[in-house]
Coordinates of all heavy atoms in Angstrom, one line a residue:
V264 N 163.1 91.0 -24.8 CA 164.4 90.6 -25.4 C 165.6 91.4 -24.8 O 166.7 91.0 -24.7 CB 164.4 90.8 -26.9 CG1 164.4 92.3 -27.3 CG2 165.6 90.1 -27.6
K276 N 175.1 87.0 -20.6 CA 176.3 86.8 -19.7 C 176.0 85.9 -18.6 O 176.7 85.9 -17.6 CB 176.8 88.2 -19.2 CG 177.2 89.1 -20.3 CD 177.8 90.4 -19.7 CE 178.2 91.4 -20.8 NZ 178.8 92.6 -20.2
R334 N 177.2 53.7 -20.9 CA 177.6 52.5 -21.7 C 177.0 52.7 -23.1 O 177.7 52.4 -24.1 CB 177.1 51.2 -21.1 CG 177.8 50.0 -21.7 CD 177.4 48.7 -21.1 NE 178.2 47.6 -21.5 CZ 178.1 47.0 -22.7 NH1 177.1 47.4 -23.5 NH2 178.9 46.0 -23.1
Y335 N 175.8 53.1 -23.2 CA 175.2 53.3 -24.6 C 176.1 54.3 -25.3 O 176.3 54.1 -26.5 CB 173.8 53.9 -24.5 CG 172.8 53.0 -23.7 CD1 171.7 53.6 -23.1 CD2 173.0 51.7 -23.5 CE1 170.7 52.9 -22.4 CE2 172.0 50.9 -22.8 CZ 170.9 51.5 -22.2 OH 170.0 50.8 -21.5
L346 N 184.2 50.3 -35.3 CA 184.9 49.3 -34.5 C 183.9 48.4 -33.7 O 182.7 48.7 -33.7 CB 185.9 50.0 -33.5 CG 186.9 50.9 -34.2 CD1 187.7 51.7 -33.1 CD2 187.9 50.1 -35.0
I373 N 194.3 48.9 -16.3 CA 194.8 50.1 -17.1 C 196.3 49.8 -17.6 O 196.6 50.1 -18.8 CB 194.8 51.3 -16.2 CG1 193.4 51.7 -15.9 CG2 195.6 52.5 -16.9 CD1 193.2 52.9 -15.0
T380 N 194.9 51.6 -25.3 CA 193.7 52.3 -24.8 C 193.7 53.8 -25.2 O 194.8 54.5 -24.9 CB 193.6 52.2 -23.3 OG1 193.3 50.8 -23.0 CG2 192.4 53.0 -22.7
A405 N 196.7 56.2 -15.5 CA 196.3 56.2 -16.9 C 197.2 57.1 -17.8 O 197.5 56.8 -18.9 CB 194.8 56.5 -17.1
L469 N 181.6 69.5 -31.8 CA 180.2 69.8 -32.2 C 180.1 71.3 -32.1 O 180.0 71.8 -30.9 CB 179.2 69.0 -31.4 CG 179.3 67.5 -31.5 CD1 178.3 66.8 -30.5 CD2 179.0 67.1 -32.9
G474 N 179.5 78.2 -28.4 CA 180.8 77.7 -28.2 C 181.8 78.6 -29.0 O 183.0 78.4 -28.9
D490 N 185.8 79.0 -28.7 CA 186.3 79.8 -27.5 C 187.5 79.0 -26.9 O 187.4 77.8 -26.9 CB 185.2 80.0 -26.5 CG 185.5 81.0 -25.5 OD1 185.3 82.2 -25.8 OD2 186.0 80.7 -24.4
A491 N 188.5 79.7 -26.5 CA 189.7 79.0 -25.9 C 189.4 78.6 -24.4 O 190.2 79.0 -23.5 CB 190.9 79.9 -26.0
K528 N 180.2 66.6 7.7 CA 178.9 66.1 8.3 C 178.5 64.8 7.6 O 178.1 63.8 8.2 CB 177.8 67.1 8.1 CG 176.5 66.6 8.6 CD 175.3 67.5 8.3 CE 174.0 66.9 8.6 NZ 172.8 67.8 8.4
L540 N 172.4 50.2 11.0 CA 172.0 49.1 10.2 C 172.7 47.8 10.6 O 172.0 46.7 10.7 CB 172.4 49.4 8.7 CG 171.5 50.4 7.9 CD1 172.2 50.7 6.6 CD2 170.1 49.8 7.7

Side-chain angles (χ1 to χ4, degrees):
V264 71
K276 296 183 177 181
R334 192 179 192 279
Y335 302 157
L346 301 174
I373 292 173
T380 295
L469 295 178
D490 197 82
K528 174 186 173 180
L540 285 169

